[in-house]
Structure formats: structure tokens, C-alpha cells
Amino acid sequence: MRQLPQDFFRSPYAFYEELRAEGPVHAIQLNTGVRAWLVVDLDAAREVLRHPAIRKDPHTDASREARGLPADDTGVGAVNTRISYHLLNTDPPEHARLRRLVTPAFAPVRIDALAPRVLAIADELLDRIAADDAGRVDLLSEYAFPLPITVICELLGMPVADREDFREWSRVVVEVSTATPTEIRHATDAITDYFERLIARRRAEGLGDDLVSDLIAANSDGERLTDDELISMVFLIMVAGHETTVNLIGNTVLTLLLDPARYRALHGNPAAVPALIEEMLRYNGPVNVATLRYSTAPITLGDTEIPANEVVLVALGSANHDERHFIDAARFDPERSTSGHLAFGHGVHYCLGAGLARLEARIALTRLVERFPDLTLAVDDAEMRWRESILIRGLQDLPVDLAGAPALR
Ligand code: HEM
């Protein structure tokens, strides 16, 4: 059985290439001790993401068995169970009921209408960065992080001032392989408590023009949404909004600054940005491995059979580097066709926020290049620190020099 190599978090792609050369799916042992099947080819990934025998609900006996948990376990470990009834923990047909309630808020026309506000937030953040005399900033915490978080807080109707608390809680939830059970319990209790109070306040003070209010209204009809489903939905949207777009912006800026001419070429050329972002999603997207799934019947992929009741993980980052679909896949090439990439997943769990993420990333990059065409990396590529999460592919920080001072190389 394989294990993830030491440098997996810094650079997973060479390992993936090695696996793809041997077959579409491999048994691996995660750092947590859990044994899983890692799907690495694009065709096999698509098949698994649509397969009716591949499920997600962690509260079932099959899921507990797959993860080696006793029958009386809650299924969600140290996580507060009240936030565990969300879209990514639900299977058809319940999944469709939950998804219908949030789909209108993310419809293309609603997302397009957010563009002026996203632009204003980007410019406010860049003004603040420009006013900083130091000339050196962590672009992740000063720009890539606050931009999508401010947008998601406004969409949900949450005070933006609480975002630093959320950043920490959300980090713990996503880095489950490195956080201790006590840390996870503490963070998820805090999240549950926070949303319970937010919802109670909204109910007492009257509903507004925001997504939490819309979901509370849907929740009044108990047939459609329970209290736990309501809290879980808000939690998932918050975490998804925290952990993804920030890294798409971060990964994109890093790749561009490693080739400064490519970065500068975008100045005055915003039309080139959408294709570049799409290639970035394929080349080094923020979701490296899709969230946990398990088999409920044997499934054959290539020459390998995945038995029933086993954990199945889909390596989206590997599928997006599959040479059978993307020629010279390891090369970043904004001119290529990226059609069919899996950066936003596939099937019923396809990303709800894909349109919002694309809008934010495009605006973030366009405004950054317009304001700071001479931006340079402040540390060497080899010194970049990557997050130690199998799920998320992103940097811990992104130190840059604003005025084009020579990079420290
Ligand atoms: C570049 C940014 C983003 C990427 C790469 C991304 C990627 C993904 C992926 C791969 C999935 C499927 C996971 C799986 O099947 O295991 C997913 C699901 C989801 N995403 Fe995103 N996401 C991004 C941004 C967002 C944003 C901004 C939001 C919300 C505001 C969001 C909300 C969701 C939700 C709610 C789901 C669950 C959908 C379901 O189960 O029906 N995402 N995302």
C-alpha cells in the first residue's frame, strides 16, 4: 500500500504522474492511519463522482465501516454533529432538496450583479496596501483572503468584523489531518454557537435581504429544512467561501510572478484574464483531493476492484494533469483548451460557488495587475510554505514586494 511522499504538500504532481502510469486507482494509507482508494485518472474520476454506489453521508453504517469506526460512533469524529447535515454530507434524493434551496442565490444573474461590489472591495483593499509604507506585504492575508471573505460575509449577512475568528476555525476544520480532536471540537463548537446566535438574532430582529434570512424563511416550512440543516448549510458556505477562492488567487499570483513578464503582460489586457484563470484552475486548482466518499458496492476501475464499504478519494489535481486529456499537462498554458477539467468537481456535488469564484478571481487579478504592474515575489519559490492539507492546495503566505524591488534570490 502506498503512502503520501514527504514532499506531497509542496508538490503532489510528480507523485500523481507516477500513480497514473500504473493505473487509475491505488490503495493508500493516509497520515491519519485511514486506508483509502485514491482515484487519479480523469475518466475514472468522472465515473466515481457520478457513480450511484459511491456515497457521502457520514452518518450511515457503511460509512462507519469504511472508516473503521464502531457502530455507535456519530460518524463525524470530534466535529459538532449539528454542523454535519450539509450538502457535501448528503446523497440523492435528500441532496436535491437541500441544493434547490440555495441554487437561486448563486444563479448567474445574481452573481453578475455582485461585480460592482467585488470591484469596490478589491480597490479598497489595494488602497490600503498602497498606503502601507513598508513596500512588502503578505498578499494572501492582505488581499486574497479578505476579498472573498468580505463578499461571502455580505452575501450571508454576517458582520465582516468576525472574519479573523472564522479564519482560524475554518483552518482547523479543513486541516483535520493535523488538528487534534480537542482543537476540532473547540472550533466546531464555536462555529455552531456562533451561527445559533446569529440565527436567533435574525429571527428576533426580523429577516433582511441576505442568504441567512432566505434560509430561515425556508426553514419555517419544516418539511424543507431542519434547524441542523440550516446551521450546516451556512457553515458549509462559509468554509467553502474561506478556503478556496483565496487559494485560487494566491496560486495564480505565485505562478505569474515566477515568470514576471507574463504577469506584466496582463497590464492593460484584462481580456486575457478569464482564460488564464481557467487554466490556473486546471493547472494548480485550490481543491487537490475531493471530499471523502465511500463505496457501498464493489466497483471496478481498470484492473482494480474497489470492494464495498471502503473510503474513496478523488484526486482532482491528478485528473487535471491526465495526459490523455491535456497534452503537456504539467505546463501552464493559458492558450490551451481547459474543457472538461475537474477543479470544481463533477456530478450532483459540482461546486455551487463556481460562478462566484470565477468572478472574484478575475476581478482580483485584473485590479492587482492594474495597480501594481511591477509586483515581485519577496522570497524564492523553494521557500514558499504550502498548507498541510490533503484537501486544499494553497500557500500559507505570499510575501511580495510592491514596487518592483529586486526579489531576494
Ligand atoms: C476557486 C474556488 C472554488 C473551488 C476550486 C471549489 C471547488 C469545489 C469542489 C471541487 C467541490 C466538490 C467537492 C466534492 O465533490 O467532494 C465544491 C463543492 C461546493 N462548493 Fe466550491 N469551490 C470554490 C469556491 C466556492 C465558493 C466561493 C463557494 C460558496 C460561496 C463554494 C461552495 C460550494 C458548495 C456549497 C459545495 C457543495 C455542493 C454540493 O454538495 O452540492 N465553492 N467546490
Side-chain angles (χ1 to χ4, degrees), residues 99-115:
R99 178 111 183 186
R100 264 198 304 275
L101 291 169
V102 273
T103 303
F106 291 88
V109 37
R110 298 275 289 270
I111 297 306
D112 287 349
L114 296 174

Side-chain angles (χ1 to χ4, degrees), residues 114-131 142-144 146-148 150-151 360 362-372:
L114 296 174
R117 182 64 195 133
V118 177
L119 199 71
I121 296 168
D123 280 338
E124 273 167 37
L125 293 167
L126 292 171
D127 283 347
R128 227 173 287 161
I129 291 173
E142 302 301 322
Y143 189 56
L147 174 71
T150 307
V151 174
E360 290 172 343
R362 287 170 188 174
I363 291 177
L365 184 60
T366 308
R367 296 309 300 152
L368 181 71
V369 177
E370 286 311 309
R371 296 287 294 274
F372 296 107

Side-chain angles (χ1 to χ4, degrees), residues 42-279:
L42 190 130
D43 287 337
R46 277 210 191 109
E47 189 178 337
V48 163
L49 292 172
R50 298 199 82 100
H51 204 295
I54 298 283
R55 313 286 283 178
K56 291 193 97 317
D57 184 351
H59 311 97
T60 65
D61 288 340
S63 175
R64 281 186 275 264
E65 186 180 332
R67 290 175 295 146
L69 302 174
D72 60 352
D73 192 279
T74 59
V76 289
V79 171
N80 186 313
T81 49
R82 295 208 64 196
I83 54 166
S84 71
Y85 298 94
H86 54 70
L87 288 166
L88 282 174
N89 279 350
T90 313
D91 295 302
E94 290 75 22
H95 174 268
R97 172 178 59 90
L98 293 182
R99 178 111 183 186
R100 264 198 304 275
L101 291 169
V102 273
T103 303
F106 291 88
V109 37
R110 298 275 289 270
I111 297 306
D112 287 349
L114 296 174
R117 182 64 195 133
V118 177
L119 199 71
I121 296 168
D123 280 338
E124 273 167 37
L125 293 167
L126 292 171
D127 283 347
R128 227 173 287 161
I129 291 173
D132 183 352
D133 289 339
R136 174 166 299 183
V137 292
D138 172 11
L139 205 70
L140 220 57
S141 57
E142 302 301 322
Y143 189 56
F145 173 74
L147 174 71
I149 293 318
T150 307
V151 174
I152 204 77
C153 284
E154 290 186 2
L155 201 87
L156 287 168
M158 284 177 47
V160 174
D162 301 334
R163 71 185 182 204
E164 284 304 326
D165 284 343
F166 250 96
R167 185 183 194 182
E168 181 53 20
W169 296 335
S170 180
R171 186 192 64 73
V172 172
V173 171
V174 170
E175 290 179 9
V176 275
S177 54
T178 45
T180 65
T182 312
E183 285 170 331
I184 293 171
R185 186 75 213 186
H186 175 78
T188 59
D189 281 351
I191 292 171
T192 309
D193 190 51
Y194 180 87
F195 284 134
E196 272 173 352
R197 280 187 284 121
L198 179 82
I199 290 165
R201 209 163 50 234
R202 207 47 94 2
R203 279 189 174 127
E205 291 168 6
L207 302 184
D209 183 20
D210 56 71
L211 186 51
V212 169
S213 295
D214 290 354
L215 291 170
I216 292 173
N219 159 269
S220 325
D221 176 358
E223 285 289 291
R224 294 163 67 198
L225 201 61
T226 66
D227 268 9
D228 285 359
E229 285 169 346
L230 170 61
I231 293 181
S232 302
M233 181 80 86
V234 183
F235 156 73
L236 176 65
I237 292 174
M238 262 321 269
V239 171
H242 263 77
E243 299 293 340
T244 50
T245 316
V246 44
N247 295 312
L248 177 57
I249 298 170
N251 295 357
T252 303
V253 174
L254 171 64
T255 298
L256 292 174
L257 291 184
L258 288 171
D259 182 358
R262 199 195 293 273
Y263 176 79
R264 263 193 301 274
L266 290 177
H267 187 68
N269 188 14
V273 169
L276 190 140
I277 295 290
E278 215 52 35
E279 166 65 347

Side-chain angles (χ1 to χ4, degrees), residues 263-302:
Y263 176 79
R264 263 193 301 274
L266 290 177
H267 187 68
N269 188 14
V273 169
L276 190 140
I277 295 290
E278 215 52 35
E279 166 65 347
M280 198 61 214
L281 283 158
R282 180 204 70 82
Y283 173 76
N284 200 10
V287 180
N288 182 19
V289 173
T291 55
L292 193 139
R293 289 169 165 75
Y294 56 92
S295 56
T296 56
I299 292 166
T300 303
L301 297 172

